[in-house]
């Protein structure tokens, strides 16, 4: 379900930055590339081609809640894999929320079934300005063994 729009031009990044929180807008404008990680809410239309061994399309047609939940979950996972791949190639990544999804959807995806999930800056950060790793919860605070 993941779909990606690569904002590379000054015009595209300015349009995107205008819809982000001020701190995020500055990052968008400075990044070489900002990707809009989106989801196709009608991803199931491609399942006969991509998942041909069963009629998976029928699981989602007429079940908007299931299609929406699946599109969001899987586009998030695919976006996370994308981040790992970019980092493996040596790129710095900056995933972001804090933007006007509905307006981005209108400007970038009008007339389609695509909807924005999150933004991702890609490039090589200034090591002097990168924050050290933030604190993490201890295992017992974040996990349960049952």
């Amino acid at each position: 379900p993941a779909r990606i729009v690569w904002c590379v031009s000054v015009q595209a990044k300015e349009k995107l930055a205008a819809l982000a929180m001020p701190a995020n807008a500055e990052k968008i404008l400075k990044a070489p590339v900002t990707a809009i990680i989106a989801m196709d809410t009608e991803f199931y239309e491609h399942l006969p081609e991509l998942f041909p061994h069963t009629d998976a399309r029928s699981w989602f047609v007429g079940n908007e809640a299931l299609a929406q939940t699946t599109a969001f979950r899987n586009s998030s996972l695919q976006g996370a894999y994308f981040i790992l791949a970019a980092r493996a190639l040596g790129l710095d990544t900056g995933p972001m929320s804090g933007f006007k999804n509905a307006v981005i959807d209108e400007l970038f995806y009008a007339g389609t079934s695509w909807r924005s999930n999150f933004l991702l800056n890609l490039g090589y950060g200034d090591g002097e300005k990168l924050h050290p790793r933030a604190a993490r919860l201890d295992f017992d605070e974040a996990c349960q063994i049952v």
Side-chain angles (χ1 to χ4, degrees):
R3 303 294 186 264
I4 302 171
V5 169
W6 303 86
C7 295
V8 179
S9 71
V10 172
Q11 297 86 355
K13 292 196 307 177
E14 285 176 346
K15 189 168 29 170
L16 192 58
L19 303 172
M21 293 172 44
N24 287 345
E26 182 180 340
K27 294 172 187 175
I28 291 167
L29 294 172
K30 288 182 178 180
V33 177
T34 301
I36 305 171
I37 308 299
M39 59 187 147
D40 183 352
T41 59
E42 295 178 2
F43 67 91
Y44 51 84
E45 295 297 343
H46 298 279
L47 289 178
E49 175 188 355
L50 300 174
F51 200 73
H53 44 280
T54 191
D55 180 20
R57 181 182 176 276
S58 67
W59 305 341
F60 301 99
V61 173
N63 191 341
E64 188 175 332
L66 178 61
Q68 197 71 299
T69 299
T70 302
F72 180 72
R73 178 185 309 111
N74 287 317
S75 68
S76 298
L77 287 168
Q78 290 170 314
Y81 291 135
F82 181 86
I83 291 168
L84 291 172
R87 289 181 175 169
L89 293 172
L91 292 165
D92 291 317
T93 61
M96 296 179 284
S97 295
F99 60 93
K100 298 176 183 174
N101 289 77
V103 182
I104 285 179
D105 294 347
E106 185 179 310
L107 288 174
F108 288 89
Y109 306 125
T112 75
S113 56
W114 294 19
R115 300 294 173 262
S116 56
N117 185 337
F118 65 94
L119 305 179
L120 179 65
N121 285 333
L122 296 161
Y124 299 100
D126 179 349
E128 305 260 329
K129 294 182 180 178
L130 294 176
H131 300 290
R133 182 176 173 168
R136 301 292 191 262
L137 295 175
D138 287 336
F139 180 87
D140 293 338
E141 294 176 287
C143 302
Q144 293 181 0
I145 298 174
V146 295

